[in-house]
Structure formats: structure tokens, C-alpha cells
């Protein structure tokens, strides 16, 4: 990982990761920790020539220097669609297709696992987006056929709406509104959950 100064083009290498990474993507900025959360994605071929994907978390803390980078992994959860950290509850939320998994802050212990297709409908569609409310009490998930809002404490669905082609859902910065986007339309809804 490296810092690139956009003004003068200088590159500062922060760390050399020894693994062969296929790609990395940004997950979130954790304000309370002044840290950035990324996912590293590896395609691995085992001794039987079977290929599979493994993901690891990289947390990069400010100020940015060589000691600011931490690679985190879990032996049970190694492939996911998206991951977020809830600094209010000090835990990770992982979306693994239709499973929503809550893990402790060290990313070691599974606290709760919920299979949405058992609780909502098997016809959720493809996962697109996850967002936490700013008070940390709710999670909004968008799948291509449904928008789901979960209560954070028990990961129970409290709102399920059929919205075709949903691809985005967020709470406004003050949690007063819920923003929902599809490939064709956008919606601003008053948040009556609080």
C-alpha cells in the first residue's frame, strides 16, 4: 500500500504485503478511529488445482505511516460481499450473500448470524449496498429486488420493501431521512424508525 501525493506525484510505500493480491477495494472510513477499511481479495489455487477466493481486511489508521496498517482475517469467514465496522457497538457486520454476520471488534468471534432468505423471502436478488444509521441502531441493505432495514441489536428485519432494481440505500447524516436509489429512480423517505 502506498500514498500518492496528487500535487507532485511523489509515492510513499507504506507496506509491502507479501501475498499475491488480485485486487483491493474501499469499504468505509471509521470516523471514531480515524481509520480506513479496505478488503484485499485473493484468488487461490489449492494443491488439487481448485480455485477459491479469500478476503482479508486492511485497516489503515491516521496518521499514515508504516505502523498504521493492520491486516485482519478470520478462519471461518473468508469470502464476503461487503464489510462494515460499527464503532458505536464496536463490531463488524459482514454481508455474505444472504447471510448477515456480526463479529466482535477483533474480527474473531461470531456474535450473531442471520440468513435473510429464511426470514424475508428467498427472492432477494443480488446484493448491492449496505449502510449503517449514524446512531448505529439500524442497517439498510439493498438487493436488486428488495430493500431491507435490520435492527442492529438482533439483526431482525423491521422493514422489507419490494423495490425492483434497488442499488443504493443510506440514512441521511442526521438519520431523519432514508435515501434509496434504483437504476431508474431515487427516493427520499422520512425515517420513522427512531
Amino acid at each position: 500500500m502506498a500514498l500518492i501525493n496528487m500535487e507532485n506525484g511523489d509515492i510513499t510505500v507504506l507496506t509491502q504485503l507479501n501475498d499475491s493480491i488480485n485486487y483491493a477495494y474501499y469499504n468505509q472510513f471509521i470516523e471514531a478511529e480515524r481509520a480506513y477499511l479496505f478488503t484485499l481479495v485473493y484468488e487461490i489455487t489449492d494443491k488439487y488445482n481448485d480455485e477459491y477466493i479469500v478476503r482479508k481486511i486492511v485497516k489503515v489508521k491516521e496518521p499514515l505511516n508504516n505502523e498504521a496498517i493492520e491486516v485482519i482475517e478470520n478462519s471461518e469467514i473468508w469470502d464476503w460481499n461487503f464489510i462494515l465496522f460499527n464503532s458505536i457497538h464496536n463490531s463488524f457486520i459482514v454481508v455474505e450473500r444472504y447471510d448477515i454476520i456480526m463479529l466482535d471488534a477483533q474480527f474473531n468471534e461470531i456474535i450473531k448470524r442471520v440468513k435473510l432468505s429464511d426470514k424475508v423471502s428467498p427472492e432477494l436478488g443480488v446484493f448491492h449496498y449496505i449502510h449503517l444509521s449514524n446512531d448505529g441502531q439500524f442497517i439498510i441493505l439493498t438487493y436488486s429486488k428488495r430493500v431491507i432495514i435490520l435492527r442492529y441489536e438482533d439483526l431482525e428485519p423491521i422493514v422489507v420493501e419490494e423495490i425492483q432494481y434497488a442499488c443504493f440505500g443510506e440514512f441521511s447524516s442526521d438519520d431523519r431521512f432514508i435515501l434509496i436509489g434504483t437504476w431508474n429512480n431515487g427516493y427520499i423517505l422520512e425515517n420513522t424508525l427512531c
Side-chain angles (χ1 to χ4, degrees), residues 1 6 17 48 54 68 70 72 77-78 92 99 102 106 122 124-126 139 146 151 175 194:
M1 297 193 87
M6 299 305 279
L17 298 171
Y48 305 107
V54 171
E70 177 184 8
I72 307 167
I77 307 208
W78 42 267
F92 285 96
D99 287 359
M102 184 186 304
Q106 291 71 43
L124 295 172
V126 176
I139 302 167
R146 303 258 190 287
R151 190 175 35 243
D175 287 333
C194 303

Side-chain angles (χ1 to χ4, degrees), residues 78-188:
W78 42 267
D79 189 16
W80 58 76
N81 297 94
F82 209 81
I83 189 163
L84 287 177
F85 185 78
N86 186 331
S87 56
I88 293 170
H89 295 286
N90 210 22
S91 59
F92 285 96
I93 292 292
V94 174
V95 178
E96 191 179 76
R97 195 168 164 162
Y98 302 132
D99 287 359
I100 309 302
I101 307 159
M102 184 186 304
L103 292 102
D104 66 357
Q106 291 71 43
F107 201 62
N108 290 328
E109 181 184 340
I110 296 174
I111 298 167
K112 179 124 180 117
R113 183 181 209 126
V114 171
K115 186 176 245 357
L116 287 180
S117 56
D118 291 345
K119 294 187 169 280
V120 178
S121 164
E123 289 300 319
L124 295 172
V126 176
F127 170 78
H128 284 290
Y129 202 80
I130 182 174
H131 188 257
L132 295 169
S133 62
N134 296 288
D135 64 5
Q137 301 307 309
F138 303 102
I139 302 167
I140 188 167
L141 297 143
T142 57
Y143 287 84
S144 57
K145 296 183 180 181
R146 303 258 190 287
V147 174
I148 303 164
I149 298 178
L150 307 175
R151 190 175 35 243
Y152 190 87
E153 64 188 38
D154 55 9
L155 300 179
E156 286 297 314
I158 55 173
V159 174
V160 178
E161 289 294 327
E162 185 174 334
I163 300 177
Q164 288 294 314
Y165 312 115
C167 59
F168 176 83
E170 278 194 5
F171 293 89
S172 62
S173 59
D174 60 2
D175 287 333
R176 289 183 50 221
F177 300 98
I178 298 171
L179 315 168
I180 302 206
T182 71
W183 296 117
N184 300 319
N185 297 304
Y187 304 95
I188 299 175

Side-chain angles (χ1 to χ4, degrees), residues 3 12-15 60-70:
L3 290 175
T12 305
V13 176
L14 296 175
T15 187
V60 181
K61 293 185 179 180
E62 293 181 342
L64 300 174
N65 57 43
N66 291 353
E67 292 81 38
I69 296 176
E70 177 184 8

